[in-house]
Amino acid sequence: MSGHTDNSITIEAPLDLVWDITNDIENWPALFSEYASLEVLSREGDSTTFRLTMHPDDNGKVWSWVSERTVDRAGLTVRAHRVETGPFDHMDIRWEYEDTPAGVRMRWVQDFAMKPEAPVDDAWMTDNINRNSRTQMALIRDRIEQVARDRRSAPVLPA
């Protein structure tokens, strides 16, 4: 068996702003509430390999892993996969962006499978990822929409 999640949210902000903020991975610890730190390990073209570390879970365990992420600005997509898979057999993630009249629709699709010895199964992880994705997407939407509001209300200074 394997897990699959598909979550999306619409962000009322310009596409360039949504793209820039969500793909500025060095600032993910300030954008996502779950990440404690991010360390870029290497960059090659449009691909970045990085270590992501979460805040301790309810049991005090700190989860950390290495992922590789490739952006396609022209195609408005990002593909990522875990290099260090931890409890996952594999984890593949696709982000898609679509400019709509209501705002930018940001979609996260995750395909994965848990290892047989993992502490949870695919069904548990699917529920967990769905719940957490909705929480993080709402937080990201709110933060980006606030930046967009702040930029619209900023005074224009003479040149």
Side-chain angles (χ1 to χ4, degrees), residues 47-105:
S47 295
T48 304
T49 302
F50 57 96
R51 173 168 296 284
L52 200 51
T53 303
M54 297 183 79
H55 294 290
D57 66 16
D58 292 339
N59 299 319
K61 172 123 175 89
V62 174
W63 297 93
S64 181
W65 62 90
V66 173
S67 287
E68 182 180 60
R69 194 166 196 273
T70 302
V71 298
D72 175 3
R73 179 62 173 92
L76 297 177
T77 60
V78 178
R79 294 193 181 278
H81 68 276
R82 283 193 181 196
V83 176
E84 288 180 4
T85 58
F88 293 91
D89 179 62
H90 70 274
M91 167 61 86
D92 299 307
I93 305 168
R94 187 173 73 249
W95 289 28
E96 300 171 352
Y97 300 81
E98 180 185 2
D99 206 1
T100 74
V104 177
R105 181 174 177 259

Side-chain angles (χ1 to χ4, degrees), residues 10-23 73 76 97-106 140-141 143-153:
T10 299
I11 303 170
E12 293 182 41
L15 175 62
D16 287 339
L17 181 65
V18 175
W19 178 269
D20 290 347
I21 289 175
T22 59
N23 288 293
R73 179 62 173 92
L76 297 177
Y97 300 81
E98 180 185 2
D99 206 1
T100 74
V104 177
R105 181 174 177 259
M106 182 176 68
I140 289 167
R141 176 201 59 212
R143 289 179 172 168
I144 293 173
E145 288 179 354
Q146 183 61 53
V147 169
R149 281 191 299 274
D150 290 349
R151 288 186 178 182
R152 282 193 300 264
S153 65

Side-chain angles (χ1 to χ4, degrees), residues 1-7 88 110 112 114 120-134:
M1 191 171 153
S2 61
H4 173 83
T5 65
D6 188 336
N7 293 281
F88 293 91
Q110 294 174 266
F112 60 91
M114 303 307 295
V120 299
D121 63 12
D122 294 336
W124 186 95
M125 188 55 74
T126 299
D127 289 342
N128 186 62
I129 290 173
N130 276 326
R131 184 174 43 259
N132 192 55
S133 291
R134 287 183 209 109

Side-chain angles (χ1 to χ4, degrees), residues 29-53:
L31 185 62
F32 290 80
S33 64
E34 62 188 341
Y35 300 144
S37 65
L38 185 143
E39 176 189 3
V40 172
L41 303 174
S42 67
R43 290 186 193 276
E44 187 172 321
D46 291 329
S47 295
T48 304
T49 302
F50 57 96
R51 173 168 296 284
L52 200 51
T53 303

